[in-house]
Amino acid sequence: MMTDNKNPVFKVKPTVSMNPNLSVPLAAVLRYTADRKVSTIVTVSDGDRNWEINFNGSYDPQSGLPIIGMRANKRHTFFIAIQDESGHKTMWSETLEYMTPKLPSGPRDWPPISINVSHPELMEPGITLISIRRRVPGREIMMTKAQRAFSRDWSLIVGLDLNGDVVWYYQVNTRIAGFDYLHNGHLFYLTHDFCAVEIDMLGNKVAQWYAGKRPQGEVEGATPVDVQTIHHQPHELPSGNFLVMTAHSKKIKNFYTSEVDPGAEKADTNVMCDEIVEFRRDGSIVWNWNSFEYLDPNRIGYQTLGPYWKVRGFPDHADWTHGNGLFYDEKNDAVLICLRMQDAIIKVDRSTGEIVWILGDHHGWPDWLQSKLLRPEGKVHWPYHMHNPKATPEGTILLWNNSIFQALPFDGKRKMLPHETYSRAVEYLVDEKRMTVREVWASENGPDNDSCSCFAMGDVHWMPKTDNVLVFYGSCMARRDDMSYDPTDMRSQMEFPQWTRVREFLHTTPPKIVFEAHIEDHDDVIMWATFGGMKISSLYPSV
């Protein structure tokens, strides 16, 4: 060890130890003490790969420096150097070692991920983060307490490198919905019980919020937000505020009691109405958009009368809008809102709250919204029960179209059966002056043996460096030769075996798959799904 007075000195020797937070097992912590403020250069090797991590002087090595990006069951060696603000540098004379643990091996504890395609030279650089869920077959409302706990009290966010190797994961005993990767390098995710949690990449909880009026009550140490629920997909704004979907209870007079009989007697009904809310870190709300103030409660979609809210603390509530995705379009200061039960994407001007346009099936909209409906140019497949729209740098709209049912109640069209539909990512070009829409790209053009019918969830992202498209397939209905179900039985596709996958495509026609991860239990005992995900350029954005 060098001791030249010009060079920084290690006062406490460096050590690499296991991450004390066991929710992120493929991580370690580097600690040491120096005689002055220094930056840290860590060179890592696992025998197959070599990489360098540079921590600037804002990181405190005495508190610990996060070592992440390691693969499981590998012996890693570390070379440590420090450098002061004048450029003087010292290399620690010894090599440090750390052995990462194996991945969980039990079929209940780890999804069966297989990598079918990987062309790193054609892929967007970075780490693919995937939000993975597990459940047992059957409708949630019919589950036993143990079955519900198995499904709800477990979630996994896993990070795959370009080869599909696991280099990071976070496992927690609650069901995670959507998440966002914050500008500070932390993850911000929502839970099934209407909480929002911020963690660092070592899994440490940094902050937590909760819906102040949620049925479950207060959360000790968390910040309340004055709403009934917080659900689905969050979004961080350039200001650092958070944009989230909430839903609140409202009684609607003379609401539908049937989705198939327009003449059925109506009744006063409690419904859940979606509201978009922007809140600060202190929990204060600074902007909101209430769907009930702009839309017609007499327009409904299939599954409006389903049990979604009944198993989430709101018994006897209809699911009128079912918001399941939002996106802030900074260029136009607008918000894209995805409403599953309305089978529509709505663009809202954030400064006025007014609806700019509606992308969706034209059936059933009231007179005051007719001028907002985009007219199709050419062959346009309307989105049905879709998820997570995004505005792309090309000025287009990209979304995951689940495309189930392909009809609305009372429109005179037959509901499509599961084996007749297929789900895909779709890109639309909107001309706001002419109020038209064209379909310009899709990830699949089935149905064929490669396509899938995705009943729930799903996500899609435009890749900024390559223009690739990253697609998360949600919960796909299994196609088995030996399945004996009646395809006309539409009680719930969720009762059938399911699988999922993640694909990255070249944005070409036809599209080319450059990456595919497939997740499926071929014994049909556990059903795996991807709620969504994203690709981040690095696990160390601020290092």
Side-chain angles (χ1 to χ4, degrees), residues 15 35 46 114 156 188 239 335 347 382 396 412 437 441 488 508:
T15 60
D35 65 344
D46 66 4
S114 59
L156 178 73
F188 180 90
S239 63
V335 180
K347 181 177 180 179
W382 291 128
T396 57
V437 60
W441 185 85
T488 64
T508 55

Side-chain angles (χ1 to χ4, degrees), residues 241-479:
N241 293 344
F242 302 114
L243 195 67
V244 298
M245 304 197 103
T246 77
H248 62 275
S249 173
K250 186 176 182 64
K251 177 158 285 192
I252 296 181
K253 293 184 177 298
N254 298 316
F255 196 71
Y256 291 101
T257 60
S258 172
E259 296 173 5
V260 296
D261 180 6
E265 185 177 355
K266 295 184 179 180
D268 296 350
T269 304
N270 291 319
V271 303
M272 296 301 284
C273 310
D274 272 292
E275 187 171 352
I276 313 304
V277 166
E278 176 188 349
F279 70 90
R280 298 190 181 102
R281 281 186 166 271
D282 64 4
S284 59
I285 295 173
V286 296
W287 183 85
N288 75 301
W289 187 87
N290 190 335
S291 61
F292 190 76
E293 296 175 359
Y294 292 90
L295 303 180
D296 181 4
N298 293 307
R299 185 181 192 269
I300 66 170
Y302 285 118
Q303 298 182 308
T304 292
L305 303 179
Y308 183 84
W309 287 108
K310 294 178 177 63
V311 297
R312 288 165 173 80
F314 294 90
D316 302 320
H317 278 67
D319 192 8
W320 173 49
T321 48
H322 193 109
N324 62 15
L326 51 78
F327 181 83
Y328 176 60
D329 179 0
E330 184 176 4
K331 180 179 178 181
N332 297 297
D333 192 26
V335 180
L336 299 179
I337 304 170
C338 185
L339 301 178
R340 176 179 172 97
M341 299 315 182
Q342 294 294 307
D343 290 309
I345 306 296
I346 298 175
K347 181 177 180 179
V348 172
D349 185 313
R350 190 160 162 266
S351 63
T352 65
E354 293 301 315
I355 293 175
V356 179
W357 49 250
I358 299 171
L359 169 60
D361 192 310
H362 285 201
H363 173 76
W365 295 99
D367 291 342
W368 74 82
L369 290 175
Q370 289 294 316
S371 64
K372 304 296 185 180
L373 299 175
L374 295 173
R375 294 179 288 106
E377 281 193 338
K379 180 66 173 177
V380 172
H381 296 82
W382 291 128
Y384 290 97
H385 280 39
M386 59 291 132
H387 285 77
N388 289 319
K390 310 286 192 306
T392 76
E394 303 299 313
T396 57
I397 305 299
L398 190 64
L399 59 84
W400 173 247
N401 187 5
N402 297 75
S403 200
I404 62 172
F405 302 133
Q406 298 182 22
L408 288 125
F410 324 128
D411 67 357
K413 294 188 292 186
R414 178 179 67 87
K415 283 196 297 187
M416 302 294 283
L417 302 177
H419 66 283
E420 297 175 312
T421 67
Y422 68 99
S423 308
R424 59 184 187 158
V426 184
E427 182 184 7
Y428 299 94
L429 178 62
V430 173
D431 185 331
E432 292 187 1
K433 291 182 179 180
R434 299 174 57 235
M435 290 297 288
T436 60
V437 60
R438 288 193 296 117
E439 187 175 310
V440 295
W441 185 85
S443 58
E444 284 96 357
N445 288 290
D448 55 33
N449 291 334
D450 184 57
S451 59
C452 70
S453 178
C454 173
F455 177 77
M457 299 173 278
D459 199 1
V460 58
H461 290 264
W462 183 277
M463 301 290 96
K465 293 182 179 179
T466 57
D467 292 344
N468 288 355
V469 178
L470 182 63
V471 185
F472 301 84
Y473 282 69
S475 180
C476 294
M477 179 179 162
R479 299 177 186 269

Side-chain angles (χ1 to χ4, degrees), residues 16 36 52 134 194 263 282 389-390 418 430 435 522-523 526 542:
V16 175
R36 68 195 75 171
E52 188 175 276
R134 71 181 187 190
F194 314 130
D282 64 4
K390 310 286 192 306
V430 173
M435 290 297 288
H522 290 281
D523 294 326
I526 300 175
S542 59

Side-chain angles (χ1 to χ4, degrees), residues 492-532:
S492 174
Q493 290 182 343
M494 297 298 281
E495 296 184 42
F496 303 130
Q498 292 159 26
W499 58 278
T500 189
R501 66 187 175 201
V502 178
R503 281 178 167 176
E504 184 173 334
F505 293 89
L506 296 184
H507 188 250
T508 55
T509 303
K512 176 181 173 62
I513 302 169
V514 297
F515 178 81
E516 178 182 291
H518 191 97
I519 306 174
E520 181 174 11
D521 175 8
H522 290 281
D523 294 326
D524 299 327
V525 176
I526 300 175
M527 303 195 301
W528 299 95
T530 53
F531 189 91

